[in-house]
Amino acid sequence: METSIMIGIRKEDDDMPILEAHKIHKSYGNKFNRQEVLKGIDIQVDKGELVGIMGASGSGKTTLLNVLSSIDSVSQGKIRIEGKEFTNMKDKQLAEFRKHHLGFIFQDYNLLDTLTVKENIMLPLTIKKVPRIHAQKLFESVAKDLGIYEVKDKYPNEISGGQKQRTSAARAFVHEPSIIFADEPTGALDSKAASDLLNKLSDLNQRREATIVMVTHDPLAASYCNRVIFIKDGQIFTQLHKGEETRQTFFNDIIKTQGVLGGVNDEH
Amino acid sequence: MMSINQLILRNLKKNLKNYYLYVFALIFSVALYFAFVTLQYDPAMDEAEGSIKGAAAIRAGSVLLIAIVTVFLVYANNLFIKRRSKEIGLFQLVGMTKHKIFGILSIENIILYFSSMLVGIFLGFASSKLIMMILIKIIGIEEVAELRFSNEAFVQTIVVFAVIYIIIMIMNGLFIRRQRILSLFQVSSTTEEKQIRVTKWQIVVGIFGLGLIAFGYYLSTELFSGNIVTMGALFLTMITILASVIIGTYLFYKGSISFLFNLIRNRNNGYLSINNVLSLSSIMFRMKSNALLLTVITVLSALAIGLLSLTYISYFSAEKTAEENIVYDYSIPNLNNAALFTEALEVADIDYTETTLDIVNVSANLSNIIQEMEGVELEFDVSMTNMVIASDGWVENLDLAESDTVFVNTNEAMMQFIRLKESGEILLSGETTSFELNYLGHEDVRVLPFRFANGGFPVAVVDETVYQQLKANLDPESQGEFRQHVGIDIENLDDLQEAEAIFQASGIGSWTAHESQLQVINNQKQSMGMMMFIAGFLGLTFLITSGCILYFKQMDEGEEEKASYTILRKLGFTREDLLNGIKVKQVFNFGIPLIVGISHGYFAVKSGWFFFGTELVYPMMIVIVLYALLYSIFGILSVLYYKKIIKEAL
Ligand SMILES: Nc1ncnc2c1ncn2[C@@H]1O[C@H](COP(=O)(O)OP(=O)(O)OP(=O)(O)O)[C@@H](O)[C@H]1O
Ligand SMILES: [Mg+2]
């Protein structure tokens, strides 16, 4: 089953983006007290891209990521991943969709306390009913890539924050999803652990051609991306492409744009 | 600036949602206790109390009730205060002293505790009326229940619950003292100490636990086998049984279950299905606290099943015992008195059948067919014991050869102490003549009331000719007080009440051994009624409390694991996937203590059931099935609760 998906991706590599969002709107509240958080956003992400999303606090980054990743529903608009539109799928179909196409990394790790590192990482494989032997191989390769093979039998409360986040990343990569969503993956890490993780992520991004969409506050984290999208007031403010620049110059560009954008979103 | 009073009020309002569990536990406990005490002080009870020394029983029951209610409330309070540990940390963070926090909590608690108590007392009063009516129906006291509000009961309830309140406040004080500001920043799940790694030790611990349980079971079978004679030794053995079974259960849970689960888990080598994730690993994760809780639940279930079984056994057996004991509707061991009664029956135009038998005692040598039971000292000489004989003509469908004999009239309780072989030779002797006969086994038939057959000792059925010869040759020395027995059966069930009235009016019943089966049944039920009621009441209380404790625990776990459900749903597990996993978990959580509890209860009942009645299997099965059904209601409730949590998780 996997191989067929892989082949499918390769074939349509060039002409079809992995993620395609068209005019998405998202509002919270009821008829009388309505807050529109996303106001018509268009996004395309191609295969193998590492895309950053930045913006002031409260600008709607998490909301955007949640709707893109099918965890929250949109009020208006269409989202397609690998050509499959899921904006009007039922709960069960969505779950099915997530388990085959999506991977997640969260700021606060989101590991199950009751499971060991290995068991946590293998969860997506069990859901997909990947055969045991194959699952074992997938686990070993990703755990070694991320440098957590040594702690595989420990429980989350026995390992460091950086190790937890790498475990979370391993869980996102292990089943080779079409796209991985990360919400401030470095938010809870110190700068050493953060750059450690970012190096690993961009490494995996290149070697496995994994597509990653990452929300972040941190310009350093953003500088690892191929492209950074800035959100303001629920709309795309601007985009920066890394192109052939070095990471340092890209980092400087990002800082500048942030300055233009302003620190905190003013609440009206 | 908010005053402390305002703070208390606001907190109270905000927490009422959290409190509802606690409030429910309180109201329930108070209502139960008050109902029980009200019944105790009710004048209508005097009759019952007087008749069977029920006062002592009811007092013992109320002590047990206090113990269980205390455990229940302390547990509910612990859960509740745990949920608030963050809040307490926050108070500390803003500079409130622990003293002050304790003060706030105490006042908050007083308001809540005592207002729930009043509600509970009201509900208890209302329900005690209902209970009284049920009770009267069981015992058959004719008096109409006219419950009054009992001041004594009221005061007693207040005193008992005030003491429990003090205990709870002490627990809360200790909790606050231990509370560090740090806990504010920790996830609530770390407040419970958790057992994660499984060591080799646990195998040993688990096996040791199983050993203790087995030892307890073994002792329980020995308890009334006749080996243990003095009251002191009996008491000591009971305590040993209790201790070894309870400790064994705890160690079993702590060791074996973790070990077993771990085995399954290791075999999976990281590849855990959703069912395993939600059941195995979740249960293992909390095994330390679970072990204690499961032990409490198991013991409560065993107690409840034991009490309810014994109760039902006695009720169920009341008729059967009377039928076995009396055999006929009326048993009159005197020809003249029998004639008086039958004449009266004829006058009243009631059809009856009359069976007149001669009671013949012979000397029997049973040494060939009585099997020696280890440790049982028989109180008679097996080679020369008195035995009543019967002719094969008295027993339907039985025609024996002159050389054969069959035993009938056996009594279950008696058979606990005498074990008969399948076959063998016995010798029956009159004054001068003796017969050597082939014993062919015993049959479940009754020909004579037990009291005329040496109190439940078997009766030997022999061929009519042998019977006549022994009867002609009887030894006057060994004959009982009664030589003849007239059994009278009323043909028509509808006439039974009228016949009974005639029997009572004639005064025949006042002679020794002149008995009416109906009256014996009624007496039996009445004297059992009180015990039954208390046992039933306590049994149900245990059931409800153990169910509630488990349910509360599950609610708590559910809240703790909510974050996990969010993650799992994000990963693509559907709600059904999760719910199925939860169902498996609940089967373990509720099933394990239930099965172990049933097993404990079975051995407890088996050790002494024959003091209560004549039938073990049927009543016990009924009780177990009912118990399991009622108990699973709590399991289903907890699954429903989880369903809600899972739904809210994403
Ligand atoms: N469930 C919700 N109900 C109502 N309003 C919400 C909800 N979630 C988010 N919002 C609102 O939507 C806006 C955007 O929130 P969002 O979490 O997307 O911001 P963000 O860009 O991720 O901020 P941060 O950088 O602080 O994480 C905020 O004003 C927030 O108050
Ligand atoms: Mg956010």
Side-chain angles (χ1 to χ4, degrees):
Chain A
M1 190 153 186
E2 257 108 288
T3 42
S4 70
I5 290 172
M6 297 294 289
I7 293 163
I9 295 166
R10 294 260 145 78
K11 231 194 261 169
E12 293 165 292
D13 221 7
D14 302 323
D15 34 10
M16 199 180 65
I18 291 269
L19 172 77
E20 226 181 334
H22 188 61
K23 292 233 165 6
I24 44 177
H25 290 256
K26 174 72 183 175
S27 311
Y28 287 114
N30 51 31
K31 250 188 219 160
F32 310 104
N33 179 19
R34 205 176 175 83
Q35 186 197 2
E36 190 165 40
V37 179
L38 303 179
K39 304 168 183 168
I41 288 190
D42 292 308
I43 286 184
Q44 283 202 358
V45 178
D46 293 326
K47 174 149 182 68
E49 261 196 306
L50 174 49
V51 176
I53 298 177
M54 294 191 81
S57 181
S59 57
K61 303 183 297 290
T62 300
T63 309
L64 176 62
L65 199 77
N66 282 346
V67 296
L68 290 180
S69 61
S70 84
I71 283 173
D72 209 345
S73 59
V74 290
S75 313
Q76 249 184 72
K78 287 183 167 36
I79 305 169
R80 254 183 294 195
I81 288 181
E82 282 211 1
K84 285 204 185 62
E85 189 181 326
F86 61 79
T87 29
N88 42 21
M89 278 188 191
K90 294 247 162 52
D91 205 47
K92 225 174 171 164
Q93 289 171 296
L94 276 179
E96 187 74 13
F97 180 77
R98 279 201 289 274
K99 82 173 144 184
H100 288 294
H101 296 280
L102 308 186
F104 294 93
I105 310 172
F106 304 95
Q107 175 173 358
D108 42 4
Y109 324 125
N110 278 354
L111 299 174
L112 297 190
D113 293 336
T114 54
L115 303 184
T116 62
V117 165
K118 183 175 183 183
E119 286 163 352
N120 261 296
I121 294 176
M122 286 180 71
L123 268 178
L125 301 175
T126 13
I127 314 199
K128 279 178 78 176
K129 302 209 162 62
V130 175
R132 271 162 199 268
I133 300 172
H134 187 50
Q136 205 67 35
K137 280 189 195 130
L138 288 174
F139 161 75
E140 272 172 32
S141 105
V142 75
K144 281 177 182 155
D145 280 354
L146 283 161
I148 41 171
Y149 191 74
E150 290 69 36
V151 294
K152 68 177 172 22
D153 290 323
K154 293 201 170 180
Y155 285 86
N157 59 11
E158 299 170 330
I159 59 178
S160 75
Q163 287 170 327
K164 280 186 212 174
Q165 196 55 296
R166 277 180 275 148
T167 305
S168 179
R171 189 180 61 194
F173 279 101
V174 72
H175 59 307
E176 298 172 340
S178 319
I179 186 166
I180 291 167
F181 292 98
D183 192 359
E184 307 204 16
T186 57
L189 302 180
D190 64 32
S191 57
K192 166 83 177 62
S195 38
D196 219 38
L197 177 75
L198 289 164
N199 279 322
K200 293 256 149 66
L201 282 186
S202 68
D203 189 44
L204 285 176
N205 164 247
Q206 273 153 30
R207 283 200 293 127
R208 298 187 171 215
E209 279 197 69
T211 314
I212 304 173
V213 175
M214 173 169 80
V215 163
T216 183
H217 267 123
D218 179 9
L220 180 79
S223 70
Y224 281 82
C225 299
N226 311 124
R227 175 159 62 111
V228 180
I229 299 171
F230 291 87
I231 307 277
K232 187 179 181 173
D233 296 332
Q235 282 172 321
I236 293 183
F237 178 73
T238 184
Q239 295 195 29
L240 289 182
H241 287 267
K242 187 175 180 187
E244 300 301 308
E245 287 175 67
T246 63
R247 225 183 68 215
Q248 188 56 45
T249 45
F250 193 44
F251 177 76
N252 291 337
D253 289 350
I254 294 167
I255 299 266
K256 258 184 247 155
T257 316
Q258 255 194 327
V260 178
L261 207 62
V264 187
N265 207 27
D266 7 311
E267 307 271 329
H268 311 290
Chain B
M1 193 48 203
M2 197 166 24
S3 77
I4 293 292
N5 281 343
Q6 277 173 308
L7 191 66
I8 293 173
L9 263 176
R10 272 188 42 167
N11 256 329
L12 201 63
K13 259 194 221 155
K14 199 184 79 213
N15 276 310
L16 218 55
K17 213 173 64 200
N18 281 333
Y19 270 117
Y20 79 97
L21 248 179
Y22 183 56
V23 169
F24 167 77
L26 253 170
I27 292 180
F28 170 74
S29 311
V30 174
L32 212 61
Y33 186 73
F34 186 70
F36 196 78
V37 191
T38 303
L39 294 179
Q40 184 182 348
Y41 285 115
D42 197 86
M45 266 333 227
D46 290 349
E47 189 181 332
E49 279 184 30
S51 65
I52 53 143
K53 303 184 201 89
I58 214 167
R59 196 151 299 148
S62 97
V63 170
L64 216 55
L65 198 58
I66 291 174
I68 169 97
V69 157
T70 309
V71 170
F72 182 49
L73 285 182
V74 166
Y75 181 74
N77 175 69
N78 273 1
L79 269 189
F80 169 67
I81 190 131
K82 202 179 100 192
R83 279 191 187 184
R84 302 187 60 188
S85 61
K86 271 192 185 174
E87 188 185 338
I88 293 168
L90 200 67
F91 283 163
Q92 272 179 274
L93 199 64
V94 299
M96 216 179 263
T97 61
K98 288 188 171 181
H99 218 76
K100 200 150 219 169
I101 297 172
F102 180 68
I104 294 178
L105 274 186
S106 306
I107 295 175
E108 214 183 272
N109 235 330
I110 279 195
I111 301 172
L112 213 81
Y113 192 92
F114 288 94
S115 44
S116 316
M117 232 172 98
L118 289 180
V119 176
I121 286 177
F122 172 74
L123 286 179
F125 179 65
S127 57
S128 64
K129 270 203 156 167
L130 185 76
I131 297 171
M132 186 57 141
M133 258 137 70
I134 298 170
L135 179 58
I136 282 172
K137 196 143 180 132
I138 302 174
I139 305 189
I141 300 170
E142 298 293 317
E143 214 165 309
V144 181
E146 199 168 330
L147 270 191
R148 58 194 174 84
F149 187 85
S150 153
N151 283 330
E152 294 119 302
F154 183 71
V155 171
Q156 189 169 327
T157 308
I158 297 272
V159 169
V160 164
F161 281 86
V163 171
I164 297 178
Y165 176 76
I166 292 170
I167 295 175
I168 288 177
M169 280 338 287
I170 292 173
M171 304 283 294
N172 283 354
L174 289 177
F175 181 83
I176 291 172
R177 246 178 74 179
R178 272 187 283 119
Q179 193 75 19
R180 305 263 168 275
I181 297 184
L182 192 69
S183 56
L184 176 65
F185 306 108
Q186 284 168 344
V187 227
S188 62
S189 62
T190 46
T191 47
E192 188 185 315
E193 222 182 312
K194 276 153 191 170
Q195 156 99 52
I196 287 177
R197 300 255 165 239
V198 179
T199 57
K200 292 250 155 55
W201 241 134
Q202 291 189 309
I203 312 171
V204 180
V205 167
I207 291 175
F208 183 61
L210 274 179
L212 277 180
I213 294 177
F215 176 68
Y217 283 179
Y218 167 73
L219 274 187
S220 81
T221 57
E222 287 290 289
L223 191 59
F224 297 112
S225 67
N227 250 349
I228 299 153
V229 272
T230 66
M231 215 47 206
L234 209 61
F235 185 68
L236 202 73
T237 317
M238 281 185 188
I239 296 292
T240 315
I241 293 172
L242 272 182
S244 90
V245 169
I246 292 175
I247 296 172
T249 306
Y250 177 71
L251 296 181
F252 167 68
Y253 285 146
K254 217 176 151 193
S256 314
I257 293 191
S258 300
F259 173 69
L260 241 115
F261 280 16
N262 208 44
L263 209 69
I264 302 173
R265 198 168 175 181
N266 282 344
R267 185 163 299 163
N268 277 313
N269 193 17
Y271 195 89
L272 287 187
S273 74
I274 183 70
N275 285 354
N276 285 337
V277 169
L278 291 176
S279 58
L280 270 177
S281 65
S282 163
I283 292 176
M284 276 174 74
F285 198 60
R286 298 187 174 75
M287 206 57 215
K288 195 163 181 178
S289 67
N290 273 346
L292 189 64
L293 193 77
L294 290 181
T295 308
V296 172
I297 306 282
T298 306
V299 171
L300 286 181
S301 299
L303 267 174
I305 289 174
L307 280 171
L308 292 172
S309 294
L310 290 181
T311 305
Y312 192 51
I313 284 174
S314 31
Y315 189 75
F316 185 82
S317 305
E319 273 179 40
K320 212 175 155 211
T321 313
E323 275 161 22
E324 281 185 0
N325 284 347
I326 313 295
V327 185
Y328 303 96
D329 284 344
Y330 295 94
S331 158
I332 305 176
N334 179 301
L335 293 181
N336 292 336
N337 288 338
L340 271 177
F341 183 49
T342 47
E343 271 164 33
L345 286 180
E346 267 158 33
V347 170
D349 210 11
I350 296 173
D351 292 339
Y352 62 91
T353 47
E354 192 178 8
T355 318
T356 306
L357 302 173
D358 291 314
I359 305 169
V360 178
N361 268 292
V362 298
S363 168
N365 181 349
L366 306 177
S367 47
N368 275 337
I369 62 160
I370 290 194
Q371 214 161 19
E372 282 215 14
M373 265 160 86
E374 214 180 309
V376 179
E377 293 246 346
L378 293 175
E379 280 170 19
F380 60 91
D381 182 358
V382 289
S383 63
M384 209 179 77
T385 183
N386 254 5
M387 201 169 180
V388 173
I389 55 167
S391 153
D392 59 353
W394 303 357
V395 183
E396 252 179 81
N397 300 329
L398 191 67
D399 188 14
L400 290 172
E402 268 179 51
S403 59
D404 292 339
T405 180
V406 166
F407 286 3
V408 296
N409 237 39
T410 48
N411 162 309
E412 192 83 35
M414 182 72 104
M415 285 302 136
Q416 294 292 326
F417 302 102
I418 300 172
R419 188 156 301 157
L420 293 174
K421 288 183 188 161
E422 297 278 297
S423 61
E425 308 251 287
I426 66 164
L427 190 75
L428 298 179
S429 325
E431 194 169 25
T432 51
T433 52
S434 290
F435 291 87
E436 202 172 83
L437 300 169
N438 275 329
Y439 167 69
L440 300 181
H442 68 96
E443 292 204 8
D444 202 19
V445 175
R446 272 160 202 90
V447 292
L448 266 181
F450 284 155
R451 66 186 307 156
F452 304 113
N454 303 315
F457 201 74
V459 167
V461 183
V462 294
D463 185 55
E464 173 69 17
T465 53
V466 179
Y467 173 76
Q468 289 304 342
Q469 287 174 50
L470 278 169
K471 185 177 159 191
N473 187 244
L474 50 76
D475 176 6
E477 298 269 296
S478 53
Q479 299 311 307
E481 187 186 345
F482 303 101
R483 305 289 288 272
Q484 258 125 13
H485 178 266
V486 183
I488 294 161
D489 277 322
I490 305 300
E491 290 283 306
N492 231 324
L493 255 182
D494 303 334
D495 293 335
L496 199 57
Q497 287 304 334
E498 200 184 341
E500 183 65 19
I502 294 170
F503 183 78
Q504 296 301 344
S506 69
I508 298 173
S510 57
W511 295 86
T512 351
H514 290 49
E515 281 176 311
S516 140
Q517 199 179 69
L518 192 66
Q519 198 186 345
V520 171
I521 291 173
N522 284 341
N523 285 347
Q524 187 115 358
K525 279 191 178 167
Q526 187 150 336
S527 69
M528 282 295 173
M530 193 68 197
M531 295 298 285
M532 271 179 52
F533 171 71
I534 294 167
F537 195 94
L538 289 177
L540 279 178
T541 312
F542 290 157
L543 167 68
I544 294 172
T545 26
S546 61
C548 279
I549 289 179
L550 254 183
Y551 178 64
F552 290 179
K553 166 86 178 157
Q554 288 310 305
M555 285 175 90
D556 192 44
E557 263 181 35
E559 297 290 349
E560 266 184 20
E561 294 194 349
K562 193 170 178 178
S564 303
Y565 305 149
T566 311
I567 302 169
L568 289 168
R569 286 193 60 192
K570 280 183 183 168
L571 290 182
F573 287 101
T574 61
R575 273 194 253 166
E576 284 97 277
D577 290 339
L578 295 190
L579 204 60
N580 286 337
I582 291 298
K583 281 178 191 158
V584 174
K585 169 174 161 176
Q586 296 314 65
V587 166
F588 280 117
N589 266 336
F590 286 82
I592 291 176
L594 181 65
I595 289 172
V596 179
I598 286 175
S599 162
H600 287 1
Y602 171 74
F603 277 93
V605 169
K606 193 162 174 271
S607 74
W609 68 276
F610 37 84
F611 293 119
F612 292 82
T614 52
E615 183 71 48
L616 170 68
V617 180
Y618 179 74
M620 189 145 189
M621 284 308 275
I622 299 264
V623 167
I624 288 176
V625 168
L626 272 179
Y627 191 87
L629 281 179
L630 286 175
Y631 186 77
S632 33
I633 291 178
F634 291 96
I636 293 167
L637 280 179
S638 75
V639 169
L640 290 180
Y641 188 80
Y642 271 105
K643 197 172 174 177
K644 207 182 85 198
I645 291 187
I646 291 172
K647 194 175 165 192
E648 287 168 356
L650 192 70

